[in-house]
Amino acid sequence: MSGRGGIVEAVRRANAPKPPEHSGRLRVAATCSVAVSLLAAAAEHEIARSTVVLCIALVSAGMAFSHRSRNRTLGWVKVGVAVGALAAMGWFVEQLSGGPVGDITSVEDPLTILFAWVLVVHSFHVPARRDVVFALAGSGAMMAVAAAQAVDMNFGLYAVGWIACGLWTLLEVGAAASGGGRPRVRVSAGSAAGLMVAGLVVFLLLPAPTAGVRLDFRNAAGSAGPVAHPGALAGDAGSPLELSHPGRSSGPTGVGGFLGFAGSLNTAVRGHLSDRVVMLVRASVPTFWIGETYDHWSGQSWSATDTRSLVLDGGSPFSVPAPPSSRARPGVDDLQTFYIKDATADLVFHADQAQQVWFPAPRLYLQPDGSLISPIGMGQGAIYSVDSSVQQPPPADLRAAPPGPSDSGYTQLPAPYPDVHQLAVSVTAGDRDTYDTVQSLIAWMGANTRYSTDIPALPPGADAVRQFLFASRTGYCEQISTALTVMLRTLGIPAREAVGYVPGPYNPVTDLYQVREEDAHAWVQVYFPRYGWVSFDPTAVVPYANPSPGATALRIVGHFLARLPWPPIGVAAGGMGAAGLVAGAVRRRRATGRLSPAERAVRQMERAGRRAGRPRTPSETVIEYGRALAGGWPEVARAVDAAAYGAEEIPAAQWGALLRRAESVAEREAAPA
Amino acid sequence: MTGGRCHPARPWGPIPGSLALVLGWWLVAHSSGQGWVQALGDAVTAAVLLGLLGPWLALRRARVEIAHAPLDGTAGRPVEIALRRSAGIRLTPVDPPGPARTEGALEVVAARRGVVTSVTVEMATAAPFGVQWWTRRVVLALPHPLHIAPRRGRPGAVPAPAEDTAARDVPDPRPGPFGDLRAPRPYRAGDARKSVHWPATAHTGELMVRETERPRGQPPELVVDLPADPAAAEAEAERALATALALVDRHGAVLLTTTEAAGTRRGVVADARQAGRRLAAAK
């Protein structure tokens, strides 16, 4: 009895009216916190912007009303707040009644509006300090809802703003609790520093928030439109505008994007891969995100033999049946969510073996190799989630696995490769199981080949594997993985080429892998009977090529020069030369135009002397030079002397006659007899 | 300042609430798998940690010292003690008790007479966020004893002064704290305020006090024997003070006999301060 009474008393004490809070700054700070949280929710498209503006206005008005009425007990306000909260709760329950139970995605939007409504209603009854703190806590809930949708760093602006407003509010609470007044500067600065340090420590200590609890399976359609042929892979036409070739049409090939996300993979052509982020991925297990696999090798290109798709319909979530070559043993469960940031191939990338897919389309297409094809364009804003089984068998288990069937299509070769076979046998001599064989070949790749994306073009008709293994020994993931696949096949080990993305850099704040265009990758899958297809990445052990600096510089310069638009450059250079000549002539004419007739006559005499092989020396007077030239030039020199020093006016016609005569005499004397 | 350990005050509200907040946030982060939720949750956790443990740190670093304390006080009346203190710390006198103050001097109100040599105060702060209060009790030693005199109660019967002819013949030239005016002299530390001779002070420009000569006769004697019961002893001390002051008023002085910790003490008192100090120390 006494215990029950104690509880009642404790509840009564907790609900007893608290003294009114007189700090206006505290209310302003709390209002700012609420406003920032509402804006953050709007930025994540959880609530309409117009609604947010209305909510902020109402919360501000409510806080002002609460401040003015803090010393009065207004019963009707309490009743109004209670009725408002109940109405909001009733609306929320009604919104949920039609949707599937447990699907958090259908709850998010009504939940956000419910929080916003509660924040608005509560703001009209905030008499005490404790109530203001509740408003701050409510803004925190709203921020959590917004943060649950945020996948990029732009949200950091709202996060920093809310933390700053929250810190301000808490400092005002502390100052009010300590007797009022403004928060002291030292305390504020120390608190901010302490908050940063403590937050950083907590951030460093806590593990990443893996989506272990299955509440959130995101999927949303993006901005890209429908694909031309649903169920078929886009990109076979090789157009840079196709979805499978996102990116700029630049680079040596003039093709943007990775060329392997199509019906075939030509190892002789490499698209330009930029550092543009293609998609953000949240996954509990970072692994290859596979797009598709190839089983048929032609000597230069990979392709898939069987492209008949199985239509998965029934809507999201799609259950993906295991392909015939699937493993028997289940792997590690891995839930991934893909946030598409830019147009990409119509492949549904996923980790290892997809089991269930939450996808914003009425159907999906499943290829025999386990690849999933989207019927809609995968544009910016598209979101989908995949639940995969990731196989991570330990090496001991793989060593114990029996060899795969050597007569399957996955040992196909376009022609016998005796030299490759000989090399593979010599490298793997002594290996008694498939796993060790694969590891030996990978180690050989690491020791004997070099990674470079700048490789010479494949000669016409040449085999890409032979060119790589016996000529250049330099290549990138496609050459390296293809060579390993072919070497394994020559040994009768079933292997195939897989293409997709590596995880890319991990962002510790968003807990997302940033998959860039240049993270497109090709690797090898080897079949182990009890485990299915197991991925191996030979490229990871191959060191970078180390060419000479001079050759690299020349190659860079050569590539740069080769990419220059020479016709317009030639036209521009020619135009500039012509313009220079014209400008020189104009300058000469202008300079000559400013000379007197006597000076022009001296210039002409000097030119004639240079032509005759008798240039004027610096010490020679005009008279002396004219005598030296002989002919009609002494007469010209005397006329110059008379004009310059005798102030004798010589008509222009006379100058012309004198000069013409001198030139003609000189020509006659210069002419051969 | 000698102090004990820091304790959270009424922790069953803020601490479980804060932990529930952090746990809830962590659950949201780990159900959604969203990094931003966790990043914000880190900030919330840091704020909670700072709010819960910041006061503890502030309290450990806080310093309080007594700058000045009076010599005398009266039971039931406030006594102000000047402090040098860290800012933002709430101080509540515990022994002797007093009201809590965030700034300014300490005010203690002793309920009973006695000699106070130290003050026990409770330091408290919720800085920086006001989430959780932490307290710490410290003992502040007074620079000198503070005598808390009893309240002035009802005086007992006071005899009228009698003509003592025998005493008149005895010459007694020594100055004393009571008796007839001998001459004004400059003020010395310890002189009673009421002995200031204002006309002489005004005349000379420095503070002058009356120097008196002991009267020719012995003052009346008041023997105070306090009972063991504290309440009864307090009442008896109040009555003794009132009686002693009445005797001082009538006879100029009283020969007060009390029992102190060191033993019986017998001496002449001529003003309220001396009487109060004697009764404050009486057992």
Side-chain angles (χ1 to χ4, degrees):
Chain A
M1 195 67 185
S2 62
R4 189 178 164 190
I7 292 172
V8 170
E9 182 59 32
V11 171
R12 190 173 296 160
R13 206 168 42 239
N15 287 327
K18 302 292 179 188
E21 175 55 54
H22 302 294
S23 172
R25 287 191 309 275
L26 173 55
R27 292 175 196 277
V28 171
T31 306
C32 289
S33 303
V34 172
V36 171
S37 69
L38 287 166
L39 289 171
E44 295 303 324
H45 310 293
E46 289 292 304
I47 187 169
R49 290 182 187 275
S50 55
T51 310
V52 163
V53 171
L54 180 66
C55 286
I56 291 174
L58 287 173
V59 167
S60 303
M63 283 288 189
F65 174 79
S66 294
H67 188 62
R68 288 179 65 87
S69 62
R70 64 189 184 278
N71 292 317
R72 289 175 286 168
T73 305
L74 301 175
W76 61 271
V77 174
K78 280 188 176 181
V79 172
V81 167
V83 169
L86 286 174
M89 201 64 206
W91 172 86
F92 178 67
V93 172
E94 185 193 357
Q95 292 293 311
L96 295 188
S97 59
V101 179
D103 184 2
I104 196 72
T105 55
S106 63
V107 180
E108 288 166 359
D109 290 352
L111 191 66
T112 312
I113 294 175
L114 173 68
F115 281 169
W117 181 245
V118 168
L119 284 172
V120 168
V121 169
H122 177 257
S123 67
F124 282 87
H125 185 59
V126 190
R129 190 181 309 145
R130 183 183 62 179
D131 303 315
V132 183
V133 175
F134 282 164
L136 177 64
S139 74
M142 182 62 82
M143 280 300 290
V145 170
Q149 315 303 321
V151 292
D152 52 30
M153 294 302 287
N154 295 337
F155 185 75
L157 188 68
Y158 297 99
V160 170
W162 183 74
I163 289 171
C165 290
L167 178 64
W168 178 25
T169 309
L170 288 172
L171 286 170
E172 291 289 351
V173 169
S178 300
R182 289 177 181 277
R184 286 181 296 138
V185 174
R186 271 186 68 182
V187 172
S188 304
S191 302
L195 191 69
M196 286 174 61
V197 171
L200 190 64
V201 169
V202 173
F203 177 77
L204 293 175
L205 289 180
L206 283 184
T210 51
V213 182
R214 298 303 178 81
L215 288 177
D216 191 10
F217 303 108
R218 306 292 311 282
N219 71 81
S223 58
V227 296
H229 305 289
L233 279 167
D236 290 341
S239 166
L241 299 176
E242 289 185 83
L243 288 174
S244 60
H245 298 154
R248 291 170 292 141
S249 304
S250 56
T253 60
V255 177
F258 183 64
L259 299 180
F261 301 144
S264 63
L265 169 63
N266 187 346
T267 59
V269 183
R270 186 175 192 271
H272 174 77
L273 302 178
S274 70
D275 59 356
R276 197 165 47 93
V277 174
V278 179
M279 56 189 179
L280 305 171
V281 185
R282 170 164 297 111
S284 45
V285 182
T287 180
F288 295 117
W289 287 304
I290 192 167
E292 59 178 319
T293 64
Y294 299 105
D295 60 346
H296 186 267
W297 170 242
S298 69
Q300 180 175 322
S301 298
W302 284 100
S303 59
T305 309
D306 189 358
T307 57
R308 292 168 298 171
S309 294
L310 173 67
V311 179
L312 306 177
D313 48 15
S316 180
F318 299 93
S319 291
V320 182
S325 57
S326 163
R327 64 188 69 88
R329 295 187 180 183
V332 178
D333 213 23
D334 180 20
L335 180 66
Q336 319 116 60
T337 300
F338 294 80
Y339 302 87
I340 307 300
K341 301 301 288 182
D342 208 340
T344 183
D346 54 350
L347 285 164
V348 180
F349 292 92
H350 58 274
D352 211 349
Q353 175 60 53
Q355 294 178 323
Q356 209 165 16
V357 182
W358 289 260
F359 197 82
R363 68 187 65 85
L364 277 178
Y365 299 94
L366 175 66
Q367 299 265 311
D369 65 343
S371 307
L372 291 163
I373 300 175
S374 162
I376 61 171
M378 302 283 277
Q380 184 181 12
I383 305 171
Y384 65 89
S385 300
V386 183
D387 185 16
S388 293
S389 171
V390 177
Q391 196 65 229
Q392 293 177 324
D397 291 359
L398 292 179
R399 285 193 179 94
S406 59
D407 57 347
S408 69
Y410 295 104
T411 53
Q412 170 271 337
L413 292 170
Y417 279 91
D419 43 358
V420 176
H421 175 73
Q422 183 65 33
L423 176 63
V425 167
S426 65
V427 170
T428 61
D431 293 330
R432 285 175 294 185
D433 55 74
T434 303
Y435 179 79
D436 285 341
T437 301
V438 175
Q439 292 299 334
S440 296
L441 290 173
I442 289 175
W444 183 88
M445 290 278 183
N448 296 282
T449 64
R450 293 291 180 269
Y451 181 92
S452 174
T453 56
D454 189 16
I455 57 173
L458 185 69
D463 184 277
V465 172
R466 285 200 176 93
Q467 179 72 16
F468 175 70
L469 289 177
F470 303 113
S472 67
R473 287 203 175 173
T474 301
Y476 42 92
C477 58
E478 293 163 33
Q479 281 78 30
I480 297 167
S481 58
T482 299
L484 177 61
T485 308
V486 170
M487 289 173 94
L488 287 169
R489 287 188 173 189
T490 62
L491 297 173
I493 297 173
R496 66 184 183 182
E497 182 87 348
V499 292
Y501 285 106
V502 293
Y506 173 71
N507 187 325
V509 175
T510 60
D511 188 39
L512 293 165
Y513 293 94
Q514 294 176 322
V515 181
R516 302 157 302 182
E517 203 173 84
E518 63 191 9
D519 291 320
H521 195 46
W523 63 95
V524 181
Q525 288 194 321
V526 181
Y527 187 73
F528 289 82
R530 284 204 296 266
Y531 299 95
W533 292 102
V534 178
S535 293
F536 293 91
D537 185 15
T539 311
V541 302
V542 173
Y544 281 97
N546 186 23
S548 68
T552 305
L554 283 175
R555 193 177 300 116
I556 291 170
V557 171
H559 283 164
F560 174 73
L561 293 176
R563 282 200 296 271
L564 288 180
W566 284 111
I569 287 177
V571 170
M576 286 172 67
L581 288 173
V582 169
V586 169
R587 279 183 62 186
R588 244 190 336 269
R589 176 163 295 179
R590 282 181 181 171
T592 311
R594 284 195 297 271
L595 298 176
S596 65
E599 290 169 327
R600 279 200 293 271
V602 172
R603 293 280 180 89
Q604 191 167 344
M605 186 168 64
E606 288 172 344
R607 280 200 297 272
R610 283 196 296 272
R611 282 199 301 270
R614 174 63 173 85
R616 183 182 176 187
T617 59
S619 60
E620 276 182 319
T621 63
V622 175
I623 296 294
E624 289 169 344
Y625 191 49
R627 285 182 195 147
L629 292 179
W633 293 113
E635 193 177 355
V636 173
R638 278 194 295 274
V640 168
D641 202 52
Y645 305 110
E648 188 177 336
E649 287 289 334
I650 299 174
Q654 191 177 343
W655 278 114
L658 283 171
L659 289 169
R660 276 195 297 275
R661 191 162 52 245
E663 290 280 6
S664 61
V665 170
E667 286 173 5
R668 277 200 305 273
E669 289 176 352
Chain B
M1 185 181 87
T2 56
R5 300 170 64 180
C6 302
H7 296 280
R10 286 184 290 176
W12 301 115
I15 291 180
S18 302
L19 292 179
L21 176 69
V22 171
L23 182 65
W25 208 295
W26 186 83
L27 283 175
V28 172
H30 281 257
S31 61
S32 66
Q34 296 284 6
W36 271 118
V37 182
Q38 171 135 329
L40 280 176
D42 295 340
V44 171
T45 306
V48 164
L49 286 174
L50 213 56
L52 292 180
L53 300 178
W56 170 75
L57 195 64
L59 216 49
R60 281 182 61 86
R61 298 185 59 184
R63 290 288 173 268
V64 179
E65 289 175 357
I66 291 179
H68 173 71
L71 292 166
D72 302 286
T74 303
R77 289 189 181 175
V79 175
E80 283 213 340
I81 298 172
L83 298 174
R84 282 188 291 270
R85 59 194 295 175
S86 304
I89 303 294
R90 189 181 71 188
L91 294 179
T92 309
V94 177
D95 183 24
R101 282 188 175 178
T102 313
E103 54 189 11
L106 198 65
E107 186 180 286
V108 297
V109 184
R112 289 179 178 167
R113 70 189 174 86
V115 180
V116 178
T117 57
S118 63
V119 180
T120 303
V121 295
E122 187 176 76
M123 304 164 68
T125 183
F129 296 155
V131 174
Q132 170 69 50
W133 284 90
W134 283 72
T135 61
R136 182 187 180 197
R137 284 198 176 185
V138 295
V139 177
L140 305 174
L142 293 172
H144 44 70
L146 168 63
H147 292 83
I148 303 295
R151 296 178 183 86
R152 190 182 293 194
R154 268 179 202 281
V158 177
E163 195 66 21
D164 190 350
T165 53
R168 192 177 296 156
D169 299 333
V170 180
D172 191 358
R174 289 180 298 164
F178 59 92
D180 298 330
L181 177 64
R182 185 190 232 184
R185 62 164 175 80
Y187 175 84
R188 287 198 297 264
D191 286 337
R193 191 167 53 191
K194 63 183 290 186
S195 68
V196 173
H197 192 274
W198 295 108
T201 300
H203 184 71
T204 61
E206 63 175 315
L207 200 59
M208 304 293 284
V209 295
R210 295 187 193 89
E211 189 171 68
T212 54
E213 290 178 346
R214 295 178 68 176
R216 296 181 188 110
Q218 283 291 333
E221 184 170 5
L222 178 63
V223 178
V224 179
D225 186 16
L226 300 177
D229 177 54
E234 190 70 18
E236 189 62 29
E238 290 173 0
R239 200 167 69 87
L241 179 64
T243 306
L245 294 181
L247 288 170
V248 167
D249 280 347
R250 186 162 296 181
H251 299 276
V254 63
L255 187 59
L256 187 61
T257 301
T258 56
T259 304
E260 296 185 1
T264 301
R265 182 178 174 189
R266 188 165 179 264
V268 175
V269 295
D271 58 22
R273 189 174 65 173
Q274 290 174 337
R277 287 184 181 180
R278 290 286 305 281
L279 289 170
K283 296 292 178 188

